[in-house]
Amino acid sequence: MPPRAPRFAVTTPAAPRRPLPWGWWLAAALLVLALGLQLALADRARLAGDPAWRPRLETLCGLLRCDLPAWHEPAAFRVTSREVRRHPEDPRALLITTSFRNDARWAQPWPVMEVALHDIDGQALGLRRFQPREYLGSPPARPRIEPGQSASATLEILDPGQRAVAFTFDFH
């Protein structure tokens, strides 16, 4: 009897390859789609800050009932009018009235308003930040200011004297 080759050395003819059924391809495509969806949802806080992604995420979260962080673009607030005058009742104070508008594409939380008074050299003489309840006179009726919505504010501040020649508004 001739010596037998070990089993691992014996080659058998390969079975002909059959193409994968279409169900496997469909399952693979669905899994890739589910992975993409999970990645978008997991990173939605960062992606929601991108104007290109926000509309897609709003649609997706509308369907899946998930939350998106509020849009935050303080640079989109525009002062539309402003006036500084002596306070009618207190000679030591100034009365500042201003109107501003949200020019962002989406609603965003009410901003913190910063008012700075400057001297002729541009040096700040005084600076104060006002919370929405302070400049509106009461807490806002809604938590967000809508796109295109305007608001008026009246602020009372101590008069820094004759050195103050300019004032600026900034939003945070």
Side-chain angles (χ1 to χ4, degrees), residues 79-86 94-99 115 153-155 157 167 169:
V79 173
T80 55
S81 70
R82 59 188 183 172
E83 179 185 20
V84 176
R85 57 187 158 101
R86 294 224 170 270
L94 296 174
L95 192 63
I96 298 174
T97 55
T98 185
S99 294
V115 178
T154 301
L155 311 168
I157 61 169
F167 60 98
F169 291 92

Side-chain angles (χ1 to χ4, degrees), residues 4-5 7 28-29 41 60 80 86 105 107 124 128-129 148 150:
R4 262 177 68 168
R7 242 189 298 169
L41 287 175
L60 182 64
T80 55
R86 294 224 170 270
R105 293 190 224 181
R128 179 157 175 221
R129 290 184 176 173
S150 294

Side-chain angles (χ1 to χ4, degrees), residues 2 30 51 53 70-71 94 98 103 108 111 130 148 168:
L30 288 175
W53 276 96
W71 181 256
L94 296 174
T98 185
D103 285 342
Q108 54 181 329
F130 295 88
T168 58

Side-chain angles (χ1 to χ4, degrees), residues 2 15 26 33 45 55 60 65 69 76 78 92 104 107 115 156 159 169 171:
L26 180 63
L33 183 64
L60 182 64
R65 295 187 177 113
R78 299 280 181 258
R92 299 170 298 141
V115 178
E156 297 176 343
D159 187 352
F169 291 92
F171 299 97

